[in-house]
């Protein structure tokens, strides 16, 4: 083994012997070289430890870089290779039955022979460890250049500290008895009892300068080292032999060698036979018992390529010797007559990886190949294969009946829920053919499916795993992005929100607010968005990363509770991106609103702090991961008119301030279509108005009226994002997208609720009234259920006469206008006739395809109802059909806004799914162009492509309609 000298000791490479070389060897060498390899990392690090495995035919090597490699058999085939420490060298290796133990300067590592780590032991007592010795099957001793000898229990991992002199214990050897020899750096040798290592039996000085190495066999002890002279420490050119039974400071004999020895090791198979190796590669095999016969010695040279030999070991059978040098090589020697040496007498089989199965070869074009010739793998457990399922896992199914003849469907007449049609007489009475599931039918169905899905998805909509930090030609980047707008990388976790980040970046009032926001919070999403937007502004069109924002986003506990944080990139394929991106939109608007209010509140507390008698109590916030303070959502209620102390902080003009409304205790509003628990209301006070609520807040009043006692209750609230409500078989769905938005803003439904006056659950009519229109209308399109997806894929269906659908019953419905039953067949006099519905549908632009309107003209009336047109040139007094209210006189218009479609977030139904965004960006010629943002892929698109959603692979998720006044202010700025 190699001896690592401390700073107080003299290194051996600078010491030359002063004695004349009069020793001559006449005997031929007993060992010769069998194999030599350059170890892993040998070009940078030297070999620091080498040892034969006691249980298998393996050689273990550790280098100065903390790497361990094993070699199998006499040909030294590499078996395993692994790293146990980053920087510390491997000082010693010990092999046990369950694995190996590798000692470094400050740690002990346990790994199995296949390279899997089991345990790492570190202790403050491990400062400069040097050697490792096995006491029994579950206990080891560790020594080093320190005043402590550690006894470690491998079962409990509990260490026992044994105090030793300051010189420490650099070498631990035992000859098979109950005594272990401990050698220190200053030349002292201490004999300790293995049963009680703390007790010292005897101690003597072996060398006057320092000790190099020692070994014990029975009662015989051999040492080599350095002698102190007038010129300094000199290497002794002989081996000193001691008897541990009578060692009292005098040696038995001194055996000269060809070169000053540095490492010693007894040969286990021969009594009194030892191997001494010098640093220059000279190896001497000598007889300790017969020191007066130099011809009994055998000398050979290890070719080290001018590097110093550092470590050595002898196998338990004495058939092989292994040497390691600082040049990164290990050399295995064996006896001349033995070309296939074995390391242990009873070695167990080494575990190797299973060989690949030898399968028969078949050409790809070989049509006559018999697949039955491929053998099945042998059964490891049981007698049956997994595909042999028991009978309880099967169920009986019948063949699918043949579809109904189209001629019957064409001539069918409906009488209520029953249809009547004449028999086309293509089959006999009570006879129906079944579909035969043969090969021809399967091929025909595949051809029909191929004809249906003939429309491919454009390439620039697909998910692309691109990294801007990898070297790539400029031509590829020009193909992906010729617009000059910066893209966002999508390889980071939770990067599904890149499309929404691009949408928020191009909303100029929101961008200005976030760029001006600063606070002292560690993980503030508003600050991180501001930093990201500033990086996009200064990037010059180069792609950017949102890693700082995503890292702060993962620390928000509310985002994790809402399921907005994905653990890794692999889950993006299984995640429902449609629901995820809409929940992210609502969460981010509320989070920015809450953080701005929290920052404003802290600024006011700091402003009034000197004037108060006592400092305000800090808010109790929960610690997350030891760093992040939880961001408490502000309880969102309707706030009335915005009142700001500083007009310079307002982004919007004063004329956008909504009218004042009635104040009072108001409860929160929860939209039915959203299945998350995100707070959806704003608190009512002077300082609860933020720039976000000024941009996106929709004031609503919900009126609950009991149909039994006609008692009404009113609640006011504000929402930051409107969620579309899809109701099957209602006029809202037939009226197209405009009626869908109108019904969602002022929702109306009938549901059982508790009435205080009646003291029981009664049918209650819930009706919503709009109190305030936002400058930016954010709409979550839903599209989660099958009915909602069918609305966008199939388009708006044309209406049919109500008599054909509901029957010709003239009995009035008991619920009248408030009937919520989808298939009610009774008469509803307050509803519009089918002719009026057809006229309104013909005037709409959404008869055959599902098309989004580019512009919305929303008029808010004094009674809270809204009238929505897709043409901005309509006059405010133009009549508009209202499907949810009875006919009455037109009311006065309280407020009106002209909205223009500015952004659309779309989900692409591919494998995997992808989220992209359409953004309308004005150019220098006062015109607007649409661009598609797909991470790093940014291309211009036509306006018709943005609003068309009749394709099966594209469905909208989030819409942003911006008021004309916001656009004018942004253009002026």
């Amino acid at each position: 083994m190699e001896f690592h000298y401390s700073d107080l000791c003299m290194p051996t490479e600078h010491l030359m012997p002063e004695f004349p070389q009069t020793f001559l060897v006449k005997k031929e060498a007993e060992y010769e070289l069998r194999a030599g390899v350059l170890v892993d990392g040998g070009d940078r690090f030297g070999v620091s430890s080498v040892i034969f495995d006691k249980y298998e035919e393996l050689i273990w090597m550790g280098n100065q870089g903390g790497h361990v490699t094993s070699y199998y058999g006499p040909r030294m085939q590499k078996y395993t290779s692994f790293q146990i420490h980053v920087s510390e060298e491997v000082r010693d290796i010990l092999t046990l039955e369950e694995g190996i133990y590798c000692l470094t300067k400050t740690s002990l590592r346990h790994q199995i022979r296949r390279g899997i780590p089991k345990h790492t032991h570190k202790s403050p007592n491990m400062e400069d460890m040097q050697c490792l010795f096995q006491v029994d099957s579950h206990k080891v001793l560790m020594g080093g250049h320190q005043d402590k000898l550690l006894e470690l229990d491998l079962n409990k991992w509990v260490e026992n500290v044994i105090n030793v002199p300051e010189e420490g214990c650099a070498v631990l050897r035992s000859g098979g008895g109950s005594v272990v020899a401990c050698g220190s750096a200053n030349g002292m040798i201490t004999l300790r009892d293995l049963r009680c290592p703390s007790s010292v039996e005897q101690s003597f000085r072996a060398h006057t300068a320092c000790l190099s190495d020692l070994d014990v066999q029975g009662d015989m002890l051999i040492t080599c080292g350095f002698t102190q002279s007038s010129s300094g420490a000199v290497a002794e050119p002989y081996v000193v032999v001691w008897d541990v039974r009578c060692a009292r400071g005098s040696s038995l004999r001194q055996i000269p060698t060809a070169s000053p020895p540095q490492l010693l090791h007894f040969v286990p198979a021969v009594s009194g036979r030892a191997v001494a190796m010098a640093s220059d590669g000279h190896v001497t095999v000598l007889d300790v018992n017969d020191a007066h016969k130099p011809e009994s010695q055998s000398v050979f040279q290890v070719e080290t390529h001018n590097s110093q030999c550092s470590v050595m070991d002898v196998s338990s059978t004495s058939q092989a010797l292994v040497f390691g040098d600082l040049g990164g090589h290990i050399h295995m020697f064996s006896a001349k007559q033995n070309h296939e040496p074995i390391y242990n007498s009873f070695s167990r089989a080494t575990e190797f990886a299973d060989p690949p199965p030898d399968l028969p070869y078949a050409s790809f074009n070989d049509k006559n190949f018999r697949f039955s010739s491929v053998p099945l793998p042998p059964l490891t457990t049981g007698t049956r294969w997994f595909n042999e399922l028991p009978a309880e896992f099967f169920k009986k199914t019948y063949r699918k009946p043949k579809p109904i003849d189209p001629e019957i469907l064409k001539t069918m007449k409906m009488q209520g829920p029953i249809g009547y049609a004449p028999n086309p007489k293509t089959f006999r009475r009570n006879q129906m053919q079944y579909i035969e599931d043969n090969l021809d039918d399967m091929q025909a169905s595949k051809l029909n499916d191929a004809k249906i899905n003939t429309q491919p998805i454009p390439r620039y909509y697909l998910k692309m795993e691109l990294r801007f930090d990898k070297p790539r030609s400029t031509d590829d980047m020009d193909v992906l992005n010729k617009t000059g707008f910066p893209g966002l990388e999508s390889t980071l976790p939770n990067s599904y929100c890149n499309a929404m980040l691009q949408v928020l970046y191009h909303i100029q009032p929101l961008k200005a607010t976030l760029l001006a926001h600063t606070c002292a919070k560690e993980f503030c999403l508003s600050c991180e968005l501001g930093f990201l937007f500033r990086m996009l502004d200064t990037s010059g069109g180069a792609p950017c990363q949102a890693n700082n924002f995503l890292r702060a986003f993962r620390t928000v506990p509310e985002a994790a509770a809402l399921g907005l944080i994905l653990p890794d990139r692999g889950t993006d394929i299984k995640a429902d991106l449609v629901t995820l991106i809409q929940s992210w939109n609502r969460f981010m608007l509320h989070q920015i609103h809450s953080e701005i209010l929290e920052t404003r509140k802290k600024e006011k507390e700091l402003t009034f702090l000197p004037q108060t008698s006592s400092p305000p109590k800090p808010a109790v916030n929960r610690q997350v991961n030891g760093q992040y303070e939880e961001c408490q959502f502000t309880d969102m209620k309707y706030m009335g008119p915005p009142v700001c102390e500083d007009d310079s902080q307002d982004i919007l003009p004063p004329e956008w301030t909504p009218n004042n409304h009635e104040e009072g205790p108001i409860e929160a509003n929860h939209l039915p279509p959203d299945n998350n628990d995100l707070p959806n209301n704003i608190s009512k006070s002077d300082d609860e108005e933020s720039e976000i609520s000024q941009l996106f807040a929709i004031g609503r009043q919900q009126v609950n009226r009991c149909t039994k006692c006609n008692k009404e209750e009113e609640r006011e609230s504000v929402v930051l994002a409107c969620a579309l409500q899809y109701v099957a078989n209602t006029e809202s769905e037939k009226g197209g997208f405009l009626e869908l938005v109108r019904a969602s803003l002022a929702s109306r439904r009938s549901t059982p609720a508790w009435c205080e006056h009646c003291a029981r659950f009664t049918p209650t009519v819930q009706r919503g009234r709009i109190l305030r229109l936002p400058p930016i209308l954010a709409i979550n399109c839903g599209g989660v259920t099958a009915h909602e997806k069918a609305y966008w894929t199939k388009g708006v269906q044309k209406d049919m006469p109500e008599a054909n659908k509901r029957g010709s019953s003239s009995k009035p419905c008991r619920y009248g206008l408030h009937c919520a039953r989808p298939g009610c067949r009774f008469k509803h006099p307050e509803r519009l006739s089918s002719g009026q519905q057809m006229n309104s549908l013909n005037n709409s632009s959404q008869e055959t395809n599902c098309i989004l309107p580019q512009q919305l003209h929303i008029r808010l009336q004094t009674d809270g109802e809204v009238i929505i047109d897709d043409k901005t040139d309509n006059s405010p007094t133009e009549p508009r059909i209202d499907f949810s209210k009875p006919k009455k006189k037109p009311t006065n218009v309280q407020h009106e806004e002209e909205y223009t479609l500015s952004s659309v977030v779309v989900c692409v139904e591919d494998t995997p799914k992808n989220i992209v965004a359409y953004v309308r960006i004005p150019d220098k010629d006062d015109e607007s162009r649409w661009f598609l943002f797909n991470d790093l892929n940014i291309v211009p698109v036509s306006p018709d492509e943005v609003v068309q959603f009749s394709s099966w692979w594209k469905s909208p998720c989030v819409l942003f309609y911006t008021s004309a006044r916001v656009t004018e202010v942004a253009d002026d700025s």
Side-chain angles (χ1 to χ4, degrees):
M1 62 176 293
E2 181 187 9
F3 179 74
H4 304 271
Y5 293 98
S6 62
D7 297 338
L8 301 177
C9 301
M10 183 68 68
T12 59
E13 60 263 22
H14 302 291
L15 303 177
M16 297 299 296
E18 297 181 356
F19 302 98
Q21 299 292 336
T22 59
F23 180 74
L24 297 177
V25 178
K26 300 180 181 179
K27 187 177 180 180
E28 188 178 2
E30 299 179 2
Y31 294 88
E32 62 182 4
L33 180 65
R34 292 299 176 204
V37 295
L38 178 66
V39 300
D40 290 353
D43 54 342
R44 295 166 295 164
F45 304 102
V47 180
S48 59
S49 62
V50 67
I51 192 173
F52 285 96
D53 199 312
K54 298 178 182 179
Y55 299 91
E56 298 182 9
E57 295 294 311
L58 296 173
I59 299 177
W60 293 94
M61 180 281 310
N63 62 9
Q64 296 175 345
H67 198 82
V68 175
T69 309
S70 61
Y71 300 91
Y72 175 77
R75 303 183 185 277
M76 301 189 70
Q77 174 188 354
K78 187 164 69 171
Y79 179 61
T80 53
S81 182
F82 48 87
Q83 189 82 13
I84 66 169
H85 202 278
V86 178
S87 58
E88 296 180 0
E89 63 180 356
V90 182
R91 296 289 176 86
D92 200 359
I93 301 176
L94 183 64
T95 59
L96 273 71
E97 185 175 2
E98 64 273 8
I100 66 170
Y101 290 84
C102 304
L103 182 68
T104 64
K105 184 178 179 181
T106 60
S107 64
L108 178 65
R109 183 70 168 269
H110 176 208
Q111 300 215 182
I112 64 175
R113 287 174 172 81
R114 296 197 310 270
I116 301 176
K118 298 290 289 184
H119 187 77
T120 302
H121 177 73
K122 292 184 179 181
S123 173
N125 299 321
M126 302 176 68
E127 299 176 358
D128 192 2
M129 308 310 297
Q130 178 70 27
C131 55
L132 191 62
F133 177 75
Q134 181 182 359
V135 178
D136 52 28
S137 61
H138 64 280
K139 189 179 296 184
V140 295
L141 283 176
M142 294 182 292
H145 296 297
Q146 58 185 21
D147 57 353
K148 298 174 184 178
L149 185 66
L150 304 180
E151 183 182 16
L152 181 63
D153 191 339
L154 299 179
N155 294 334
K156 302 178 181 179
W157 291 99
V158 177
E159 61 182 19
N160 181 24
V161 179
I162 303 172
N163 294 324
V164 296
E166 296 181 358
E167 294 80 6
C169 177
V171 184
L172 286 171
R173 294 289 174 84
S174 176
S178 61
V179 177
V180 59
C182 306
S184 61
N186 62 349
M188 292 295 298
I189 296 179
T190 304
L191 301 180
R192 298 178 180 269
D193 193 350
L194 288 176
R195 295 165 294 185
C196 185
S198 59
S199 62
V200 178
E201 293 190 357
Q202 53 180 313
S203 179
F204 58 92
R205 180 174 294 276
H207 301 275
T208 57
C210 61
L211 176 69
S212 179
D213 196 7
L214 64 89
D215 198 5
V216 182
Q217 188 182 53
D219 298 330
M220 199 72 66
L221 172 67
I222 56 176
T223 61
C224 62
F226 297 84
T227 302
Q228 189 69 33
S229 64
S230 58
S231 60
V234 179
E236 298 176 352
Y238 48 80
V239 177
V240 184
V241 183
W242 308 79
D243 191 348
V244 297
R245 296 172 297 180
C246 58
R248 293 288 184 266
S250 60
S251 60
L252 295 179
R253 65 185 71 89
Q254 297 178 354
I255 305 175
T257 57
S259 255
Q262 182 182 0
L263 300 174
L264 297 175
H265 206 294
F266 273 106
V267 179
V270 183
S271 178
R273 199 71 169 169
V275 180
M277 188 187 72
S279 60
D280 56 356
H282 282 82
V283 181
T284 305
V285 182
L286 50 90
D287 191 354
V288 178
N289 296 326
D290 193 1
H292 300 287
K293 296 181 180 180
E295 60 274 6
S296 64
Q297 300 183 7
S298 174
V299 179
F300 58 90
Q301 175 71 36
V302 179
E303 184 60 38
T304 60
H305 304 284
N306 298 327
S307 61
Q308 182 181 356
C309 279
S310 55
V311 288
M312 176 189 67
D313 193 24
V314 182
S315 65
S316 60
T317 59
S318 304
Q319 297 182 13
L321 309 177
V322 63
F323 306 95
D325 55 32
L326 296 181
H329 295 80
I330 58 175
H331 315 271
M332 196 270 289
F333 283 75
S334 66
K336 287 188 175 182
Q337 298 80 10
N338 190 0
H339 295 276
E340 296 290 336
I342 59 174
Y343 305 151
N344 304 292
S345 299
F346 304 98
S347 295
R348 64 186 182 187
T350 303
E351 183 180 1
F352 288 93
D354 296 335
D358 189 10
L359 301 177
Y361 173 77
S363 175
F364 185 78
N365 299 324
D366 188 4
K367 299 181 180 179
N368 299 324
F369 177 73
R370 293 183 302 171
F371 292 97
S372 60
S373 62
V374 180
L376 294 175
L379 288 172
T380 57
T381 58
T383 58
R384 300 180 62 183
W385 298 95
F386 283 138
N387 58 351
E388 299 180 11
L389 298 178
E392 56 266 19
F393 286 91
F394 293 90
K395 66 177 181 179
K396 294 182 179 180
T397 57
Y398 297 94
R399 289 181 295 179
K400 297 180 180 179
K402 187 177 180 180
I404 302 176
D405 193 344
E407 185 67 23
I408 297 177
L409 298 177
K410 185 184 300 182
T411 59
M412 182 178 294
K413 295 182 179 180
M414 297 297 299
Q415 295 294 334
I418 303 174
Y420 297 90
N423 188 3
K425 297 181 180 181
T426 55
F427 302 101
R428 292 183 179 180
R429 193 174 185 86
N430 300 329
Q431 179 183 359
M432 178 63 68
Q433 291 184 353
Y434 287 91
I435 298 177
E436 296 181 0
D437 296 332
N438 51 23
L439 184 61
D440 296 336
D441 295 336
M442 296 175 61
Q443 293 178 352
S445 62
K446 290 182 180 179
L447 292 176
N448 294 334
D449 295 341
K451 291 179 181 179
I452 295 174
N453 301 331
T454 55
Q455 183 181 7
I457 302 177
R459 183 179 180 183
Y460 48 85
Y461 283 92
L462 302 179
K463 188 71 174 180
M464 299 181 182
E465 295 292 342
L466 300 175
R467 295 181 63 91
F468 72 92
D469 53 351
K470 288 188 177 181
R472 187 168 55 249
S473 63
T474 56
D475 298 337
D476 297 339
M477 290 301 299
D478 293 341
V479 172
L480 295 176
N481 186 4
K482 298 181 180 180
T483 60
F485 297 110
L488 293 174
E489 185 183 353
S490 62
T491 57
L492 301 175
N494 302 304
S495 59
Y496 66 89
C497 59
N498 284 350
M500 282 298 306
L501 292 177
Q502 292 282 9
V503 170
L504 298 181
Y505 170 70
H506 289 91
I507 299 178
Q508 295 299 329
L510 177 63
K511 175 182 174 183
T513 301
L514 295 177
L515 290 177
H517 173 77
T518 55
C519 65
K521 197 174 183 180
E522 182 177 2
F523 294 107
C524 178
L525 297 186
S526 301
C527 294
E528 295 297 340
L529 280 178
F531 298 152
L532 176 62
F533 292 168
R534 189 173 300 277
M535 180 173 60
L536 293 174
D537 286 339
T538 58
S539 64
C544 302
Q545 280 183 330
N547 49 0
N548 290 338
F549 169 76
L550 295 177
R551 182 171 61 250
F553 179 67
R554 289 193 297 268
T555 61
V556 181
E558 289 81 2
L562 293 172
L564 302 180
I565 299 177
L566 302 180
D568 52 11
R569 282 287 301 163
T571 57
D572 288 351
I573 302 177
K574 301 180 181 179
D576 187 4
L577 296 183
V578 177
T579 306
L580 204 62
I581 199 66
Q582 297 182 50
S583 300
W584 190 93
N585 176 38
R586 297 184 61 216
F587 165 77
M588 188 55 59
L589 294 180
H590 286 274
Q591 183 75 6
I592 299 174
H593 167 77
S594 178
E595 289 174 350
I596 291 176
L597 292 182
E598 184 181 358
T599 303
R600 185 180 301 171
K601 181 178 179 182
K602 291 182 179 180
E603 291 177 355
K604 289 184 179 181
E605 291 178 356
L606 294 177
T607 303
F608 295 101
L609 185 60
Q611 302 177 5
T612 58
S613 59
S614 60
K617 296 182 179 180
V620 180
N621 292 330
R622 180 167 56 89
Q623 294 290 332
V624 178
N625 297 330
Q627 297 178 352
Y628 176 71
E629 293 183 356
E630 180 182 9
C631 177
Q632 300 292 339
F633 276 118
T634 306
D635 187 22
M636 301 180 67
K637 301 177 182 177
Y638 182 63
M639 71 204 86
V643 180
C644 298
E645 298 179 2
D646 188 3
D647 295 336
S648 62
Q649 297 179 357
D650 294 338
I651 298 178
L652 304 178
E655 59 268 15
W656 292 357
T657 302
N659 297 330
N660 194 0
H661 294 282
E662 192 175 351
E663 299 183 359
I666 304 164
E667 298 179 2
N669 180 29
H670 301 277
L671 290 178
D674 296 334
N675 296 326
N676 49 36
D677 297 333
L678 189 66
N680 205 21
N681 46 343
I682 301 177
S683 178
K684 181 178 181 178
S685 60
D686 294 340
D687 58 346
E688 296 299 329
E689 176 76 7
S690 68
E691 290 82 354
I692 304 302
S693 60
Q694 293 176 1
L695 287 173
F696 299 95
I698 305 173
R700 297 181 58 184
Q701 183 184 39
Q702 181 174 341
V703 181
N704 298 336
R705 184 177 63 85
C706 177
T707 58
K708 297 295 183 180
C709 62
N710 292 329
K711 181 182 178 182
E712 292 187 356
E713 293 182 359
E714 297 181 356
R715 292 186 300 176
E716 296 181 357
S717 62
V718 163
V719 295
L720 299 181
C722 174
L724 293 184
Q725 301 182 19
Y726 300 83
V727 182
N729 297 329
T730 60
E731 289 79 359
S732 299
E733 185 178 359
K734 301 185 200 107
F737 180 76
L738 301 182
E739 278 302 321
L740 201 62
V741 175
R742 190 207 61 78
S744 302
L745 289 177
S747 60
R748 181 191 301 268
R749 65 174 181 171
S750 178
T751 180
W754 179 262
C755 179
E756 295 292 343
H757 184 267
C758 300
R760 60 175 180 174
F761 283 94
T762 59
T764 304
V765 177
Q766 296 181 356
R767 180 171 56 90
R769 298 175 64 249
I770 298 299
L771 304 177
R772 166 181 175 178
L773 292 176
I776 300 178
L777 180 61
I779 301 176
N780 285 346
C781 296
V784 179
T785 63
H787 170 68
E788 297 173 358
K789 293 180 180 179
Y791 175 82
W792 297 102
T793 56
K794 297 180 181 180
V796 180
Q797 301 294 334
K798 290 187 177 181
D799 196 7
M800 297 177 61
E802 188 174 359
N804 295 337
K805 297 184 302 177
R806 299 174 176 264
S808 58
S809 177
S810 59
K811 185 178 180 180
C813 179
R814 68 167 65 181
Y815 297 104
L817 174 65
H818 309 295
C819 177
R821 185 178 179 182
C824 184
R825 60 186 178 89
F826 296 100
K827 184 179 179 180
H828 301 82
E830 296 179 344
R831 297 186 178 178
L832 296 178
S833 61
S834 59
Q836 292 175 337
Q837 293 178 359
M838 292 297 296
N839 293 334
S840 62
L841 290 175
N842 292 333
N843 295 332
S844 177
S845 62
Q846 304 178 14
E847 291 185 355
T848 57
N849 295 326
C850 197
I851 303 176
L852 290 177
Q854 289 280 1
Q855 294 179 339
L856 294 180
H857 184 201
I858 302 179
R859 288 170 286 176
L860 176 61
Q861 305 182 33
T862 55
D863 58 350
E865 295 294 333
V866 292
I867 297 177
I868 304 179
D869 297 324
D870 57 353
K871 297 181 180 180
T872 57
D873 57 350
N874 293 339
S875 61
T877 59
E878 180 183 356
R880 176 67 179 175
I881 299 176
D882 192 355
F883 293 96
S884 62
K885 296 195 64 178
K887 298 180 180 179
K888 58 182 181 178
K889 296 181 180 180
T891 56
N892 296 329
V893 176
Q894 176 184 353
H895 182 65
E896 61 180 342
E897 287 286 352
E898 296 180 0
Y899 292 97
T900 304
L901 184 64
S902 59
S903 303
V904 181
V905 179
V906 177
C907 178
V908 180
E909 300 291 339
D910 192 29
T911 306
K913 292 184 178 181
N914 192 22
I915 296 293
V916 299
Y918 297 113
V919 181
R920 184 174 58 86
I921 302 176
D923 54 8
K924 298 180 181 179
D925 300 333
D926 295 336
E927 296 181 358
S928 298
R929 297 180 59 190
W930 285 94
F931 294 90
L932 173 69
F933 289 84
N934 183 10
D935 299 330
L936 299 182
N937 193 0
I938 305 175
V939 294
V941 293
S942 62
D944 295 337
E945 185 177 354
V946 175
V947 298
Q948 286 283 352
F949 287 96
S950 59
S951 302
W952 60 270
W953 52 267
K954 184 173 65 170
S955 59
C957 298
V958 185
L959 308 177
F960 286 90
Y961 280 92
T962 305
S963 175
R965 300 181 182 181
V966 178
T967 307
E968 294 174 0
V969 174
D971 296 340
D972 295 340
S973 61

